Amino acid sequence: MSHDKLIRMANQIASFFKTQPGRDQAERVAAHLKDFWGPEMRAALKDQAKSHEAELDDLVRRALPLI
Amino acid sequence: MKDFIIPWGDDRDMGTPAKQGAAVSLMIDGFEVTVPEGTSVMRAAAIAGIAVPKLCASDNLEAFGSCRLCVVEIEGRRGTPASCTTPVAAGMVVKTQSEQVKRIRKGVMELYISDHPLDCLTCSANGDCELQDMAGVVGLRDQRFEAPEGGMRTHFAARDTSGIANPEWIAKDDSNPYFTYDPAKCIVCNRCVRACEEVQGTFALTIEGRGFESRVSAGGVGDDFMASDCVSCGACVQACPTATLQEKSVIALGTPTRSVITTCAYCGVGCSFKAELNGDELVRMTPYKHGAANRGHSCVKGRFAYGYATHSDRILKPMIRETIDQPWREVSWEEALGFASAKMRGIQAKYGRKSVGVITSSRCTNEETYLVQKLTRAVFLNNNTDTCARVCHSPTGYGLGQTFGTSAGTQNFDSVAEADVVVVIGANPTDGHPVFASRLKKRLRAGAKLIVIDPRRIDLVKTPHIEAAHHLALRPGTNVAVVTALAHVIVTEGLFDEGFIRTRCDWDEFQEYVEFISDVRHSPEMTEILTGVAAEELRAAARLYAKGGNGAIYYGLGVTEHSQGSTTVMAIANLAMMTGNIGREGVGVNPLRGQNNVQGSCDMGSFPHELPGYRHVKGAEVRAIFEGAWGVTIDPEPGLRIPNMLDAAVSGQFKGLYCQGEDILQSDPDTRHVAAGLAAMECVIVHDLFLNETANYAHVFLPGSTFLEKDGTFTNAERRINRVRKVMAPRNGYADWEITQMLANAMLEAEGRPLWHYTHPSQIMEEIAATTPGFANVDYAMLEEKGSVQWPCNDANPEGSPIMHVDGFVRGKGRFIVTEYIATEERTGPRFPLLLTTGRILSQYNVGAQTRRTENTIWHSEDVLEIHPHDAEVRGVKEGDWVKLGSRSGETSLRAHLTDRVSPGVVYTTFHHPTTQANVITTDFSDWATNCPEYKVTAVQVGLSNGPTDWQESYEEQARLSRRILPAAE
Ligand code: SF4
Ligand code: SF4
Ligand code: SF4
Ligand code: FES
């Protein structure tokens, strides 16, 4: 899957959880990704994140190790 | 299982509507009867089993008292009162038959008959005419009126007795495709007029003139039915006691002799119908009066638009082809299934277990949907299942799941009769959910207030005898800002229901929410520039909803199909919780579901992350239930959703798809991307009634059956499980559940695994009940007995659950969620300065595959672009011009319609016709949580054009080529 799409979708998820109260936003982004994205999509995201680090929302970056 | 029984209760006409009130006892013809206060003497007699003759009364209309056929004698009262308009009183003694009333009735009938053509034997209503029945009941044997000198004036003779053209005679109006109006047979009983007003709420009919001159008239002088406001719901036709308003199908085919109760297969209202037949020929569909969703009403689609079932385009034989540039080859079922099974197994062997998947249908039954997701989970052994509900209500699932704990509307439709303030957000009920709209309008006419939140001035905003208190005409894409601003007003003005929040929700979470929502950035004054909604109007709407009594919210795809669709659903849930509008009659949060079985397809585990009953596949205990039932190991990781399947196909990992009853190529956004995904697959199996657009890319076509040809259940938007009954044998040979089973078995057999052995859908429902707690007590015997039931239906709720969250939320405490507005990335700019939003209209359904194959096309033969006159003027566009509509995804052409129903800056179209391909325009942006596509906001440009675009023409050509079918080999 094209990287811009996966990264856009992940950033979009982060944009919601960023607005949520509490300190566990990264955990919640990770939980959402695990609940709704299959392992292949998560792996692809991790993979693409390596070469497109700059495009990632900070929250996605923090969530990645948790998925 | 007996399929041809008519269950539960009789459907006699009791004369006047049921009432509620204290018990009153009276004597009728020597029998004691006890009825609620306010009941008419006529109804009380009917309850006692005595049918008082009547013509102008019908139990779905308020009594009118015009025909005087229903007169009775009441002890101690003078004269002969009309039983339909006389309420019962305690101790009343009624005689329904006496010399005097018999004489009066005969006289009444004689007068009617003197102005009625006596061609009963050849009349289309012969055997189904109340005038005929009443003439029999009163014993009318002759009619003594004689023509006076110079000829008698009647309404029915084209020429009077002296041979001169009769000015009173009016020719038959057959402008409507489904029924005729023959004024010659009208007895001016007013039932049609009242049905149009009271039942349908359209007010298309009036009685013109007085006395002998009076006539039923549709619209203004000289209008026929088609030119009037009539929406062809058929309520007047059903109400008419004579052949004056008559179904054309009955005229052509004769009166039906048998009937089967079943459920409409169009929208999420889920109306119950009596399918009336001769042999296996369907003569007409009559809404069933005991149908709990529709209470005897219907719309044009359910009542009339069933002709697609016998349309010549229907494919009745399985077909296959190696590649999609080849013509189709008709083959036996065995060969088609063997071919499909070998292909799918080959793909899995080569590309892995997860390289194939299914798409379930929201048009098919629960049982069929359950089997399709079982096919992927238990035969393909992955979780790659999704449904078209993805593209409409997946945010409802997520949003209501997060806040309330379950993904479903909270009310039954009856509840709207108790609402005081109704908020309609991003829905267009008069077009999308017409029978619900009629019920809503009835309540609004009785005084409930209406708030409409929609970019377009939908019909409900102003319609006869109804005017919205507030129409918040927001800019597309700003739902979250508007709903959050409503909450801001309610919280900061102290209009919330503290008692409810303290007992039913998490108070601490609410405190966090208050801190968020009170910020001035959410105030209507601050959001006004963004949303285009005037602050004062928004404040007034918020106050009305919070303090106007029972507040009920109904919403549609205008809420969900946005990049923040899930957030809006949560914002709506917040509103209901903070005002205590949850858990009783007249309130609630109600998604209006698009297709007939959207609710059911979601319930049945169609989503890749959920097993039936909304239970995540990661739960080991849940998997264990199904692993036990199916004897397989279930993948604990979520599978692919439709957009993910297509993406994976384009990048080469997803190769095989079984798609039942859906047309993703036409219905899903960004057509070119969908086409690229489908074209990249090695085996696409389309299981449908017609060679739909998706089938252009298919290798196997399995012909489907219509809802008339199979047994099963649909679950409507109120969680009501309704029976679908087989009315006739499947023309393609098999019901859809059988076909899925045959495909599964073809694969299982090749792999040497145990086969499926269902012989009736009731067995599938047994499996659903055994595995899914909300359905635990549902079975076909119960549905036979009760007619329908609303889930959850289990030991805790043995009678089902008309209203949810009564004593507590499904998740325990209701949860307030912070809903920050985040603008969609889809923005207008110099290249694409307008916002396109999409929707649908009454006479067509979804991608139109069915309705386009009926006479409904007379109302909507093409998709048009609604554009505000200002936007049109600056572009030099005039009414009816061909315009090019372009977005960054693609462009298409269609005709323009200038209207101020849309605001400047906003354009609107429907997506019912494949040649328009509105989805060439829509983009691949989607809801953050669920990937529900953002159909409702696309930045576009509009300009004059001289006809269809090259894409449209090449698409048509490609579609034509891919639909070729080789003549069958002898
Ligand atoms: S078909 Fe429906 S809308 Fe049309 S006139 Fe009859 S009742 Fe009214
Ligand atoms: S058209 Fe039928 S229902 Fe209407 S007034 Fe005439 S007879 Fe009565
Ligand atoms: S389309 Fe909807 S409203 Fe119309 S008859 Fe069918 S279920 Fe009822
Ligand atoms: S039925 Fe009572 S007056 Fe017509």
Side-chain angles (χ1 to χ4, degrees), chain B residues 42 53-58 63-71 82-85:
Chain B
M42 174 179 279
K54 65 177 187 62
L55 275 173
C56 69
S58 174
F64 193 60
S66 71
C67 74
R68 302 263 324 141
L69 193 64
C70 67
V71 290
S83 63
C84 64
T85 49

Side-chain angles (χ1 to χ4, degrees), chain B residues 264-271 273 294 297-303 432-436:
Chain B
C264 177
Y266 280 118
C267 85
V269 177
C271 295
F273 277 89
N294 56 321
H297 189 38
S298 77
C299 80
V300 58
K301 293 190 285 283
R303 191 192 295 259
H433 303 85
V435 165
F436 167 71

Side-chain angles (χ1 to χ4, degrees), chain B residues 179 192 195-196 200 202-205 225 229-237:
Chain B
F179 60 84
C192 53
C196 191
Q200 164 57 24
T202 291
F203 293 77
L205 302 178
F225 269 78
D229 291 337
C230 168
V231 294
S232 197
C233 72
C236 57
V237 181

Side-chain angles (χ1 to χ4, degrees), chain B residues 644-813:
Chain B
N644 312 143
M645 288 180 196
L646 294 166
D647 291 338
V650 170
S651 58
Q653 293 112 32
F654 189 83
K655 292 286 185 184
L657 179 68
Y658 169 51
C659 179
Q660 181 180 66
E662 284 303 331
D663 193 358
I664 54 168
L665 185 62
Q666 198 187 339
S667 65
D668 284 35
D670 198 355
T671 309
R672 286 167 196 240
H673 180 65
V674 180
L678 288 169
M681 296 184 202
E682 291 178 10
C683 180
V684 175
I685 307 171
V686 167
H687 178 174
D688 208 301
L689 299 174
F690 303 105
L691 278 174
N692 60 19
E693 306 306 307
T694 307
N696 297 346
Y697 292 87
H699 308 84
V700 180
F701 186 89
L702 302 176
S705 51
T706 71
F707 76 112
L708 296 167
E709 300 167 347
K710 60 195 181 190
D711 280 299
T713 56
F714 291 150
T715 307
N716 76 355
E718 23 157 39
R719 295 168 278 105
R720 185 182 301 286
I721 306 164
N722 271 315
R723 271 285 266 122
V724 178
R725 289 188 178 79
K726 184 168 163 181
V727 171
M728 55 181 76
R731 295 181 66 225
N732 57 322
Y734 296 100
D736 294 326
W737 61 270
E738 294 177 283
I739 296 167
T740 305
Q741 168 161 287
M742 292 190 300
L743 177 61
N745 284 346
M747 293 186 67
L748 291 169
E749 192 164 16
E751 290 166 14
R753 296 160 59 195
L755 305 188
W756 294 359
H757 295 290
Y758 304 103
T759 57
H760 192 276
S762 60
Q763 297 159 347
I764 307 173
M765 183 52 87
E766 279 164 26
E767 186 172 316
I768 296 166
T771 51
T772 310
F775 285 71
N777 288 12
V778 179
D779 64 30
Y780 276 35
M782 165 192 242
L783 294 173
E784 256 356 275
E785 183 198 315
K786 291 191 195 301
S788 65
V789 67
Q790 289 173 271
W791 68 255
C793 175
N794 42 30
D795 288 344
N797 310 280
E799 298 290 303
S801 313
I803 312 264
M804 290 196 87
H805 316 297
V806 175
D807 300 312
F809 286 98
V810 168
R811 72 181 299 280
K813 294 273 186 195

Side-chain angles (χ1 to χ4, degrees), chain B residues 82-136:
Chain B
S83 63
C84 64
T85 49
T86 307
V88 295
M92 208 178 226
V93 178
V94 179
K95 266 178 81 62
T96 70
Q97 205 71 343
S98 73
E99 287 313 314
Q100 192 190 5
V101 302
K102 285 199 286 190
R103 203 168 48 244
I104 296 172
R105 288 178 193 155
K106 234 184 213 171
V108 168
M109 282 312 295
E110 205 170 351
L111 260 174
Y112 275 124
I113 296 304
S114 69
D115 191 14
H116 200 83
L118 296 180
D119 58 356
C120 286
L121 278 182
T122 51
C123 175
S124 56
N126 187 13
D128 186 24
C129 170
E130 293 180 39
L131 189 67
Q132 204 179 49
D133 296 346
M134 290 306 117

Side-chain angles (χ1 to χ4, degrees), chain B residues 271-333:
Chain B
C271 295
S272 299
F273 277 89
K274 259 166 84 170
E276 302 188 313
L277 306 97
N278 278 324
D280 70 349
E281 184 173 49
L282 186 60
V283 176
R284 71 176 162 196
M285 297 286 278
T286 315
Y288 184 51
K289 72 188 285 191
H290 298 304
N294 56 321
R295 305 279 175 211
H297 189 38
S298 77
C299 80
V300 58
K301 293 190 285 283
R303 191 192 295 259
F304 293 124
Y306 51 79
Y308 69 88
T310 48
H311 194 278
S312 59
D313 283 354
R314 231 184 113 181
I315 304 289
L316 301 172
K317 296 216 175 79
M319 304 189 297
I320 58 173
R321 58 184 171 189
E322 272 302 328
T323 58
I324 60 172
D325 52 9
Q326 293 174 346
W328 286 105
R329 198 156 57 81
E330 285 184 355
V331 294
S332 66
W333 279 98

